[in-house]
Amino acid sequence: EEPDVIRRRSGKPLSVLQVQHSPAVSLLFSKASASFGEDITLECLNDPEQLMDMLCRHAQQPDKGYDLVVLDLSLPKIGGLALLKNIK
């Protein structure tokens, strides 16, 4: 039986973006989310600048956004807290 919390009300898979600079943590998160099968689509980024570019593109296309963004607050270059301020 599928957990109700995973499936969105629209019946589409939950769209998750993970922004993480540690390959080990990214792999662990990917394996954990894979246990939910096709109910989650996971995209991983390791560069905060890629995230900002992607969010700018998605702002012009709201239907292309994510349901959940998992953000590493200790990212190099642009810290996670600075990214949150820019997103806000």
Side-chain angles (χ1 to χ4, degrees), residues 13-29:
L14 187 69
S15 176
V16 178
L17 173 64
Q18 179 194 17
V19 185
Q20 173 62 249
H21 77 283
S22 168
V25 173
S26 287
L27 180 62
L28 180 64
F29 190 86

Side-chain angles (χ1 to χ4, degrees), residues 43-81:
E43 187 171 344
C44 299
L45 297 176
N46 60 9
D47 185 355
E49 292 170 351
Q50 287 178 322
L51 173 65
M52 292 307 297
D53 290 343
M54 179 181 290
L55 291 175
C56 287
R57 286 193 311 269
H58 285 191
Q60 298 168 4
Q61 301 173 336
D63 60 321
K64 301 279 186 185
Y66 295 94
D67 298 309
L68 176 66
V69 176
V70 179
L71 177 62
D72 178 0
L73 295 180
S74 62
L75 289 167
K77 297 182 190 173
I78 304 170
L81 291 176

